[in-house]
Amino acid sequence: MEYLPAPAAPAQGHILCCQCGVPIPPNPANMCVGCLRAQVDITEGIPKQGTVHFCKQCERYLQPPGTWIQCALESRELLALCLKKIKASLSKVRLIDAGFIWTEPHSKRLKLKLTVQKEVINGAVLQQVFVVEYIVQSQMCEDCHRIEAKDFWKAVVQVRQKTVHKKTFYYLEQLILKHRLHQNTLRIKEIHDGLDFYYSSKQHAQKMVDFLQCTVPSRSKSSQRLISHDIHSNVYNYKSTFSVEIVPICKDNVVCLSPKLAQSLGNMSQICVCIRVTSTIHLIDPRTLQIAEIDGNTYWRHPFNSLFHPKQLEEFIIMDINRVHEKKKGAGAGARSNKHTLAEAWVRKTSELDTDHQYFCCTHLGHILNPGDLVLGFDLANCNLNDEFANKMNPQHIPDVVLIKKSYDRSKRQRRRNWKLKELERDREATDTDDERQYQDFLEDLEEDETIRKNVNIYRNADIPVESDTDDDGAPRISLAEMLEDLHISQDATGGEGAEMLT
């Protein structure tokens, strides 16, 4: 007769699981972990899948209800964004740990590994680890949608100048680029007499208008049009239009001031030359070197026009010139220019070299003119002036010729120009040869006027070699010290081996 051995007693401090009989340390549920998990699932009710929306244009994620935020992959910001989507479900458990599981960046999947705890049967605390998978869906944000749908705008700034030459617009374009005022624009459209800037908000358009009024003499007015109205929430949707008119005066224009304005500027001559246009109109009297600045408000109170079209410039040759070092100031005369030299010159038109007809004039270009030089100017003696103030002037006070600037070989200056400017990306109308000629005039003005160059970013053009000065005809040039290096960021700027970050 065999005696079966008695079953071994459980180890000290252990009990048998009430479900499977496995010895376990005592716990309030009297169950092993496997049986407890089979009976209770603490992750029940927590979604294991979700969706996040991602804008491919600006690379931002949607944070409901309508906020788009910038988040890097596996960042704390992206982790918080994903947890907020299941925040309500996590309120019934205690979140212990959360982190990302690596996924392929292009897989459009985000995986979160979560560790949670919850009190279950008879006060026992169960801890469980599970994975939540998020699908990244592409959705264009509102800002990018407005950019792509170019007609979807809320404000437009219409900049106009009623003049033929575009020198002021070329200068204004460089100021906008330098101060990065074009970054918030949805679209820039070029028309025959100005530019239109489209914006997604009225605040950005107002900022542009304020900038224009500080940089060029102008005036503005605004209007708005009702697009829609929600009667339930009392929300109005408007489209705003800002109209900015720049004074119709450009550099190298000959103007005729009103007698009242000329007197208020220190008894200047009514016939003056515009030497530059910045935030004010800079005028000089070619007979006395007296200078004056006219802001936008003064101009609109006492408006005046240009006497000549730029295409009416004629070429003269200097026959004789005599610099005037001392000239008495008149009563109440204002400041004089220190950068110019007063001179008396005898000139002859290059088209009339076969005649003996010469003209006598006073000029402010005595510091750069010598006998035999070519100079551009306007012939007032043989023209019909159709101007309100010029027609009322004493003919003896109107000069025969007004010299504007010294003439150089344009083709040679273009070949030696080893610098360039950046341009705004805009919708252009068909350009013609006249636009190219006006742009070359603006580039020459930059070379001749150091004051304007200070407000413009000039970049070195490495494609054109620097020539020696042996064949220099005296034309103004921009020094290398005033040029900036143009940086180009390569497309493969990932920082990997062999990636050229900057060229």
Side-chain angles (χ1 to χ4, degrees):
M1 183 176 180
E2 295 183 0
Y3 293 93
L4 294 176
Q12 186 68 25
H14 284 66
I15 63 172
L16 298 178
C17 174
C18 64
Q19 292 289 332
C20 63
V22 175
I24 59 172
N27 61 63
N30 296 328
M31 291 186 188
C32 64
V33 176
C35 294
L36 192 59
R37 288 179 177 175
Q39 295 289 329
V40 180
D41 182 13
I42 64 174
T43 64
E44 185 179 3
I46 301 177
K48 306 301 187 296
Q49 287 187 341
T51 303
V52 293
H53 294 91
F54 176 72
C55 178
K56 294 189 292 184
Q57 273 74 13
C58 61
E59 298 183 351
R60 294 187 298 176
Y61 291 88
L62 174 63
Q63 179 175 312
T67 305
W68 292 83
I69 58 175
Q70 196 85 27
C71 300
L73 286 177
E74 300 189 5
S75 63
R76 295 178 60 182
E77 294 80 7
L78 185 57
L79 180 62
L81 176 65
C82 295
L83 290 177
K84 284 182 180 179
K85 290 184 171 292
I86 56 175
K87 182 179 179 180
S89 303
L90 291 176
S91 61
K92 299 178 181 180
V93 296
R94 181 190 303 169
L95 181 63
I96 302 300
D97 188 25
F100 283 100
I101 299 176
W102 185 88
T103 55
E104 175 65 32
H106 302 289
S107 65
K108 299 295 183 182
R109 297 290 188 275
L110 298 175
K111 291 185 178 182
L112 263 63
K113 182 180 179 181
L114 304 181
T115 304
V116 295
Q117 288 182 351
K118 185 179 181 181
E119 186 177 331
V120 290
I121 303 174
N122 297 329
V125 177
L126 181 63
Q127 178 172 307
Q128 192 168 345
V129 179
F130 65 102
V131 176
V132 179
E133 181 178 346
Y134 290 93
I135 301 175
V136 181
Q137 292 187 353
S138 298
Q139 177 179 329
M140 188 177 293
C141 67
E142 187 178 359
D143 295 337
C144 295
H145 176 70
R146 289 173 177 170
I147 295 174
E148 290 297 321
K150 295 181 179 180
D151 293 331
F152 193 84
W153 52 270
K154 287 190 175 180
V156 59
V157 179
Q158 299 174 341
V159 187
R160 301 290 185 268
Q161 186 182 31
K162 297 178 182 178
T163 183
V164 177
H165 209 289
K166 299 180 180 180
K167 285 184 179 181
T168 307
F169 272 106
Y170 292 134
Y171 173 67
L172 183 61
E173 177 184 16
Q174 298 304 315
L175 289 178
I176 293 174
L177 286 169
K178 183 173 183 177
H179 294 88
R180 301 180 181 274
L181 263 295
H182 63 291
Q183 290 185 335
N184 295 323
T185 56
L186 302 178
R187 178 190 182 194
I188 303 176
K189 183 179 180 181
E190 179 180 356
I191 59 176
H192 66 283
D193 59 350
L195 295 171
D196 289 345
F197 298 87
Y198 294 88
Y199 294 91
S200 59
S201 68
K202 184 179 179 180
Q203 290 77 12
H204 291 155
Q206 184 64 57
K207 184 178 179 181
M208 183 64 165
V209 173
D210 296 340
F211 174 78
L212 293 175
Q213 291 181 335
C214 294
T215 52
V216 291
S218 59
R219 63 180 176 181
S220 65
K221 59 182 180 180
S222 61
S223 63
Q224 58 184 10
R225 179 165 56 96
L226 180 63
I227 303 301
S228 61
H229 173 213
D230 188 350
I231 60 175
H232 302 288
S233 60
N234 203 28
V235 174
Y236 293 83
N237 184 19
Y238 291 98
K239 279 191 175 183
S240 302
T241 300
F242 296 87
S243 177
V244 180
E245 182 180 359
I246 303 176
V247 296
I249 304 298
C250 292
K251 184 180 183 298
D252 297 336
N253 283 166
V254 176
V255 299
C256 183
L257 308 179
S258 65
K260 184 177 180 180
L261 179 59
Q263 183 180 8
S264 66
L265 297 176
N267 293 323
M268 289 184 68
S269 172
Q270 289 184 246
I271 303 294
C272 296
V273 178
C274 177
I275 54 178
R276 76 177 63 90
V277 177
T278 55
S279 58
T280 57
I281 304 173
H282 298 255
L283 300 178
I284 188 170
D285 184 353
R287 298 195 300 177
T288 62
L289 295 188
Q290 187 174 337
I291 56 176
E293 296 183 10
I294 301 177
D295 58 10
N297 294 331
T298 304
Y299 175 84
W300 298 117
R301 287 198 305 267
H302 306 281
F304 51 88
N305 297 313
S306 175
L307 298 181
F308 293 95
H309 190 278
K311 293 182 179 180
Q312 294 177 284
L313 276 171
E314 297 188 63
E315 191 175 57
F316 297 85
I317 185 171
I318 303 294
M319 307 304 296
D320 190 16
I321 188 168
N322 180 29
R323 291 169 179 81
V324 180
H325 299 286
E326 294 292 337
K327 186 160 181 88
K328 293 183 179 181
K329 283 189 176 182
R336 290 185 178 181
S337 174
N338 297 323
K339 297 182 179 180
H340 299 84
T341 301
L342 186 63
E344 297 175 344
W346 286 95
V347 298
R348 181 183 296 178
K349 289 184 181 180
T350 55
S351 60
E352 298 177 355
L353 291 179
D354 55 343
T355 65
D356 295 333
H357 191 190
Q358 296 185 9
Y359 302 89
F360 174 80
C361 65
C362 293
T363 179
H364 61 289
L365 304 176
H367 58 297
I368 58 174
L369 294 181
N370 295 297
D373 287 344
L374 296 178
V375 62
L376 298 177
F378 294 107
D379 181 8
L380 279 74
N382 301 314
C383 69
N384 294 323
L385 294 179
N386 186 17
D387 184 81
E388 177 186 0
F389 305 120
N391 294 335
K392 297 179 181 179
M393 286 182 62
N394 188 342
Q396 296 180 355
H397 296 162
I398 300 179
D400 292 339
V401 173
V402 177
L403 302 182
I404 300 300
K405 60 181 179 180
K406 188 176 179 179
S407 178
Y408 301 95
D409 187 352
R410 168 166 287 186
S411 59
K412 186 181 296 185
R413 293 181 72 172
Q414 287 184 246
R415 289 196 307 269
R416 293 188 309 190
R417 187 171 292 137
N418 58 341
W419 54 273
K420 59 184 178 180
L421 301 176
K422 290 187 176 181
E423 297 183 6
L424 290 173
E425 295 183 2
R426 56 186 183 269
D427 299 337
R428 295 177 177 269
E429 293 183 343
T431 57
D432 51 15
T433 56
D434 188 55
D435 291 339
E436 179 63 25
R437 180 188 63 82
Q438 294 182 19
Y439 187 68
Q440 292 300 324
D441 289 343
F442 173 70
L443 298 182
E444 293 175 2
D445 291 342
L446 287 180
E447 294 174 335
E448 296 168 5
D449 195 338
E450 182 181 357
T451 305
I452 298 181
R453 290 204 300 269
K454 294 179 180 179
N455 300 326
V456 176
N457 284 341
I458 299 174
Y459 297 90
R460 183 179 177 184
N461 190 356
D463 298 335
I464 300 179
V466 179
E467 295 185 358
S468 62
D469 296 336
T470 54
D471 192 25
D472 193 0
D473 58 352
R477 301 176 68 176
I478 298 178
S479 62
L480 292 175
E482 299 179 76
M483 302 180 192
L484 302 174
E485 292 291 341
D486 194 7
L487 297 178
H488 298 282
I489 299 178
S490 61
Q491 295 181 354
D492 188 20
T494 58
E497 294 185 2
E500 296 180 0
M501 296 299 293
L502 293 176
T503 58

